[in-house]
Amino acid sequence: MGGDEMDEAMRAYFPLSFGKTSKPQPNSSLAHSSTRRSAPSPASASTSTANPNSKPSREEDDDGAMVGPPPPPPPASRDEDGERKEEAMIGPPRPPPASWIEGEDGEEEMVIGPPRPPPQSVQKQSNGSDYDSDEEFDADLPEDSHRIPLSNEIVLRGHTKVVSALAVDHTGSRVISGSYDYTVRMYDFQGMNSKLQSFRQLEPSEGHQVRSLSWSPTSDKFLCVTGSAQIYDRDGLTLGEFVRGDMYIRDLKNTKGHISGITGGEWNPKSKETILTSSEDGSLRLWDVNDFNSQKQVIKPKLVRPSRIPVTACAWDFEGKRIVGGIGDGSIQVWTIKTGWGSRPDIYVEKAHSDDITGLKFSADGQVLLSRSMDATLKVWDLRQMKSPVKVFGDLPNHYAQTNVAFSPDEQLIFTGTSIEKDSTAGSLLCFFDRKKLELVSRVGISPSLSVVRCLWHPRINQVFTTTGDKKEGGTHVLYDPSMSQRGALVCVGRAPRRKSIDDYEVQPLIHNPHALPLFRDQPSRKRQREKILKDPLKSHKPDLPVDGPGFGGRVGVTKGSLLTQYLMKQGGLIKETWMDEDPREAILKHADAAAQDPKFIAPAYAQTQPEPVFAKSDSEDDENEK
């Protein structure tokens, strides 16, 4: 008899409840029901439009998922004699009633199992429909290839201002977000629970907003752009910071780095050693990750007049062979990286936008270029004919310099976010456009009071990321669909936080004399030291102030700062101050006779040779003699 057979035979003698009970697995459907979006999705709108006469099921009647225990059963009714028609319910509540649908013969049939999927063909909305195609959704709903994962949503919070930068690694397991609150937060879907807390917070440069984040092709490092550019490893440890140039050198090609703040940066999608940055000093630079002391190439855009106009946006193409820059004068310039290439652009579009360009994006085939600007437009360009845009989408308000534009994974859709306007009540939207038809597909409401800045559709996990915020708060919204998406948010939503155990209790020691040792004592700041010195009259050499009143400390107020001895001598008549009433000339001549009779210092040396002095007579004596 083998060991396994013996174990099975022995198990038969014990009850089924014997031994350690297994942990109940969380119900994924309940976890996802708590993250379901309250706003109607295109799928629900199409379902209600296709079957207007069908009876709503239990799921459609409820506004959202049921939270808490089920409602109590209704009380049993009583007849006229006072007797109960039905006995009280004992035990767990009854299962919910089955959904009923209308069959082909017009009779109601009971549905067993999960609800049927929505029909493939969707009828157009009638004129009396509750949904307006211009406000909420487009009348022509997308096909299956345009299905957008929008049914559920989670928010990664933690920032106190608008989230201006976002990057998701290629596996879709790690998310990093940067904000105007000068911090970078790192999230890991594999290690997070339903609380959705970040596992690390960084402050790359104190007092500088985070403007861009970008992962390396191997996802082992990421680039962080603030006032300067820093490189971090996957766990958030600093690897280096690119050098800044000398701001007093006029020629930008002779400087070792940017001399002003950096506006954007992106890692080469094919080379893990090359980085592109753009700056307010009017240049783009290529860097080698292994050399933080100098750049590889300096690119100076083409300008109408020689001046320093900032480069507001930059991007690589899919193959890492071309770069594009958005210049502050509204122009778009494209360079092809080849042997012997310089700063002269291969493609130059003057006045492509009337305001600053905030986002640029190449298509995978290298034929289409998207540009997003603060002039509330999104333009689609054909790189083979760049004289004029193929399509201009307007009425897309944009108030942030980091607002971008992106493609869907199959590049059939183009989407971007909008900002909140002061007088508008529509809220921020995520707008999707068809690339081939060049028309609006859907508008998705993200937040009623926060603007959408960055957006991203991850191809591997099929989830849409958007960053929002204002001057007081910020967050990253993750949109997904349990039936379409994989991993990512699905992993952490159903994971409950760890329960506190008795082993987690820790007795805090009682400190009777804190900061007794100099090692643990807080060092006073220089400002406090200066204030303390100014309060000390000896260290600050502060002069004595005049005393008013009776005086104190041996000083009498009447004497205006004199000592007590001087005051008593003046009162006794020993010291007489008569110099204020005397003529200085008479006071000096009073000692003239004594000096002439008994010279003491210099006069005896010149007594034999000194001539007799003759003094001029006053004018008043001459006038008297004439009279």
Side-chain angles (χ1 to χ4, degrees):
M1 206 177 204
D4 296 339
E5 296 177 0
M6 186 176 295
D7 292 342
E8 293 295 335
M10 293 295 295
R11 192 183 299 275
Y13 290 97
F14 296 96
L16 295 176
S17 60
F18 180 80
K20 186 177 180 181
T21 58
S22 59
K23 295 181 180 180
Q25 296 295 331
N27 192 349
S28 60
S29 60
L30 294 177
H32 295 311
S33 63
S34 62
T35 61
R36 189 175 298 276
R37 287 170 56 87
S38 58
S41 62
S44 63
S46 62
T47 305
S48 60
T49 308
N51 299 324
N53 298 325
S54 63
K55 293 184 178 181
S57 62
R58 183 179 179 87
E59 295 179 358
E60 295 176 355
D61 285 340
D62 298 336
D63 295 335
M66 182 173 62
V67 180
S77 60
R78 298 177 181 270
D79 55 8
E80 297 177 356
D81 300 335
E83 297 179 357
R84 299 179 63 175
K85 292 183 179 180
E86 297 180 2
E87 296 182 359
M89 182 177 61
I90 301 175
R94 296 177 181 178
S99 302
W100 295 82
I101 63 172
E102 186 176 355
E104 297 179 357
D105 301 335
E107 299 179 356
E108 294 182 351
E109 298 179 357
M110 184 175 64
V111 177
I112 300 175
R116 296 179 180 178
Q120 300 293 336
S121 60
V122 180
Q123 299 178 359
K124 292 186 177 181
Q125 298 178 356
S126 60
N127 296 331
S129 175
D130 295 335
Y131 300 100
D132 190 358
S133 60
D134 294 334
E135 296 180 358
E136 295 292 338
F137 310 103
D138 196 83
D140 298 332
L141 294 173
E143 301 175 358
D144 290 343
S145 60
H146 292 173
R147 289 185 61 189
I148 307 170
L150 300 174
S151 62
N152 297 65
E153 178 184 15
I154 63 173
V155 183
L156 306 178
R157 305 185 186 277
H159 291 288
T160 58
K161 291 185 180 180
V162 61
V163 181
S164 56
L166 175 70
V168 186
D169 69 343
H170 299 81
T171 60
S173 61
R174 187 155 293 188
V175 181
I176 51 177
S177 62
S179 171
Y180 279 8
D181 60 3
Y182 320 133
T183 62
V184 173
R185 287 184 175 267
M186 304 181 67
Y187 303 86
D188 190 358
F189 285 128
Q190 303 297 329
M192 276 196 306
N193 52 30
S194 57
K195 290 186 177 180
L196 306 176
Q197 295 178 346
S198 60
F199 72 92
R200 180 155 295 176
Q201 179 180 352
L202 311 173
E203 189 171 358
S205 183
E206 184 177 359
H208 289 81
Q209 300 171 351
V210 181
R211 299 183 176 181
S212 179
L213 293 168
S214 178
W215 283 99
S216 66
T218 54
S219 298
D220 59 340
K221 304 173 185 176
F222 68 89
L223 168 69
C224 177
V225 173
T226 55
S228 58
Q230 300 95 10
I231 302 295
Y232 295 86
D233 66 356
R234 185 175 176 84
D235 296 327
L237 301 178
T238 307
L239 299 179
E241 180 178 356
F242 292 110
V243 68
R244 296 181 66 88
D246 190 353
M247 61 182 299
Y248 297 103
I249 298 178
R250 187 168 183 81
D251 190 359
L252 295 177
K253 289 192 174 182
N254 294 330
T255 59
K256 295 182 178 180
H258 289 293
I259 63 175
S260 298
I262 301 179
T263 58
E266 188 174 343
W267 213 297
N268 191 315
K270 298 298 181 181
S271 174
K272 63 179 183 179
E273 297 179 351
T274 307
I275 288 175
L276 171 67
T277 58
S278 60
S279 173
E280 296 173 353
D281 61 5
S283 67
L284 295 94
R285 296 174 192 257
L286 297 178
W287 302 83
D288 190 350
V289 180
N290 301 320
D291 184 12
F292 292 98
N293 296 324
S294 181
Q295 72 273 343
K296 292 170 55 178
Q297 179 79 15
V298 180
I299 305 167
K300 297 171 65 176
K302 179 181 177 181
L303 302 175
V304 178
R305 296 179 180 177
S307 60
R308 288 185 179 178
I309 299 179
V311 182
T312 58
C314 63
W316 290 94
D317 70 339
F318 188 74
E319 297 294 334
K321 296 181 179 179
R322 286 189 293 182
I323 59 176
V324 60
I327 318 302
D329 59 0
S331 64
I332 296 177
Q333 303 183 26
V334 182
W335 293 268
T336 303
I337 299 177
K338 54 188 176 181
T339 56
W341 69 290
S343 295
R344 186 177 184 85
D346 298 321
I347 299 176
Y348 173 74
V349 182
E350 186 179 2
K351 296 180 180 179
H353 286 276
S354 59
D355 207 336
D356 289 346
I357 300 171
T358 61
L360 296 166
K361 184 67 176 179
F362 281 99
S363 63
D365 55 10
Q367 297 181 0
V368 177
L369 177 66
L370 306 178
S371 63
R372 185 77 165 94
S373 174
M374 297 185 74
D375 59 4
T377 61
L378 164 63
K379 295 187 179 182
V380 183
W381 304 84
D382 188 350
L383 291 171
R384 296 165 295 184
Q385 187 71 24
M386 289 284 289
K387 292 184 178 180
S388 61
V390 179
K391 181 67 175 179
V392 179
F393 297 103
D395 196 17
L396 301 172
N398 177 16
H399 304 316
Y400 291 93
Q402 288 78 30
T403 304
N404 71 328
V405 60
F407 282 102
S408 63
D410 56 0
E411 294 198 350
Q412 298 300 317
L413 293 177
I414 302 168
F415 61 101
T416 185
T418 62
S419 300
I420 296 289
E421 292 185 313
K422 293 183 179 180
D423 300 333
S424 176
T425 58
S428 60
L429 303 173
L430 193 62
C431 301
F432 292 84
F433 306 93
D434 192 304
R435 177 184 173 182
K436 294 182 179 179
K437 298 180 181 179
L438 296 177
E439 61 184 10
L440 179 66
V441 172
S442 177
R443 292 193 186 101
V444 180
I446 300 299
S447 176
S449 59
L450 304 179
S451 301
V452 176
V453 181
R454 306 288 295 184
C455 57
L456 182 148
W457 191 335
H458 199 279
R460 194 162 184 176
I461 61 178
N462 195 20
Q463 298 175 17
V464 179
F465 295 80
T466 61
T467 66
T468 60
D470 57 5
K471 295 181 179 180
K472 297 182 180 179
E473 62 175 320
T476 303
H477 296 246
V478 184
L479 309 178
Y480 69 97
D481 191 337
S483 61
M484 300 166 52
S485 304
Q486 300 176 1
R487 298 189 301 276
L490 280 74
V491 178
C492 61
V493 166
R495 184 180 297 159
R498 178 177 174 270
R499 294 182 178 180
K500 292 185 178 181
S501 174
I502 192 173
D503 298 333
D504 297 336
Y505 181 74
E506 182 180 356
V507 179
Q508 297 295 334
L510 183 60
I511 302 175
H512 296 278
N513 191 11
H515 308 297
L517 298 176
L519 177 63
F520 302 103
R521 193 176 302 158
D522 294 335
Q523 296 294 332
S525 62
R526 294 183 178 179
K527 182 178 179 181
R528 292 182 179 178
Q529 289 179 351
R530 289 195 300 268
E531 293 177 353
K532 188 176 181 180
I533 291 174
L534 290 176
K535 292 180 180 179
D536 190 351
L538 297 178
K539 293 184 179 180
S540 60
H541 303 286
K542 187 176 181 180
D544 294 335
L545 298 176
V547 180
D548 296 331
F552 60 92
R555 299 176 59 191
V556 182
V558 181
T559 61
K560 297 182 180 181
S562 62
L563 298 178
L564 180 61
T565 306
Q566 295 177 352
Y567 173 74
L568 294 176
M569 294 178 67
K570 287 181 181 179
Q571 295 296 329
L574 300 178
I575 298 178
K576 295 182 179 180
E577 294 182 355
T578 59
W579 59 272
M580 294 290 294
D581 303 329
E582 293 182 358
D583 185 10
R585 183 173 182 275
E586 294 179 357
I588 295 173
L589 293 177
K590 183 172 58 176
H591 306 282
D593 296 339
Q597 295 175 3
D598 187 14
K600 294 182 179 180
F601 301 104
I602 302 175
Y606 301 96
Q608 303 296 330
T609 59
Q610 185 71 14
E612 182 179 357
V614 179
F615 297 101
K617 298 181 180 179
S618 62
D619 296 338
S620 59
E621 294 179 356
D622 296 340
D623 295 339
E624 292 177 356
N625 296 330
E626 289 177 1
K627 290 179 181 180

